Amino acid sequence: MNIRDEKPVLIVMIEDDEGHARLIEKHIRRAGVSNDIACFRDGASALAFLFGEGCGRKKSGAPCLILLDLNLPDMTGIDILARIKGDAHLRRSPAIVLTTADDQREIQRCYDLGANAFITKPLVYENFAHAIRQLGLFLSVMQVPEVD
């Protein structure tokens, strides 16, 4: 990922499964991504952070990349994606959906809302680890726009 000297990109991971969150971070790190990762287990705390109601990033103008699970305990990832992509300050923040769902309607809905990628988490551990390592390699070379 393009690391900026002044405003490094923050990875915001919204994932309620602690095991998946640890695995994602581990394999992203193995791919050479050293950015800070803020992990949230529910949608409300993630939105509070993103929209600056807590210690959020919106007011600071620092760029974010969002890794988003669709199945959260308090709201759907689709609702979160709609809020992010509907906000003038956050809409350009890349949002990558990582979920066990592979329903074509959900995939289409996510892309319609502005998701930048949709990755179905493989159920077999080795395949999941491989998919996340590939994601980490992608993140290590992508460019992230600054927040408006």
Side-chain angles (χ1 to χ4, degrees), residues 81-92:
L81 183 62
R83 290 272 316 269
I84 291 166
K85 294 302 184 173
D87 181 76
H89 295 282
L90 294 172
R91 68 175 175 238
R92 289 192 187 115

Side-chain angles (χ1 to χ4, degrees), residues 1 12 46 56 68 76 93 97-98 100 109 111 137 140:
M1 187 176 321
V12 176
L68 176 62
T76 70
S93 297
V97 176
L98 287 164
T100 54
R109 179 80 174 125
Y111 280 112
L137 292 172
S140 71

Side-chain angles (χ1 to χ4, degrees), residues 98-113:
L98 287 164
T99 187
T100 54
D102 63 355
D103 181 279
Q104 288 300 311
R105 290 173 300 193
E106 280 189 338
I107 295 169
Q108 183 174 354
R109 179 80 174 125
C110 287
Y111 280 112
D112 287 347
L113 288 170

Side-chain angles (χ1 to χ4, degrees), residues 12-16 38-43 45-46 49-50 55 72:
V12 176
M13 182 179 358
I14 308 168
E15 170 61 70
D16 65 318
C39 191
F40 297 92
R41 303 279 182 252
D42 63 78
S45 60
F49 180 83
L50 286 166
C55 57
L72 299 167

Side-chain angles (χ1 to χ4, degrees), residues 7-10 57-64 90 93 145-147:
K7 295 181 181 176
V9 175
L10 174 70
R57 305 294 283 190
K58 182 173 157 181
K59 293 177 184 172
S60 70
C64 293
L90 294 172
S93 297
E146 290 195 23
V147 176

Side-chain angles (χ1 to χ4, degrees), residues 59-80:
K59 293 177 184 172
S60 70
C64 293
L65 177 135
I66 297 134
L67 300 177
L68 176 62
D69 186 15
L70 291 185
N71 303 310
L72 299 167
D74 59 342
M75 65 182 66
T76 70
I78 289 175
D79 293 335
I80 295 169

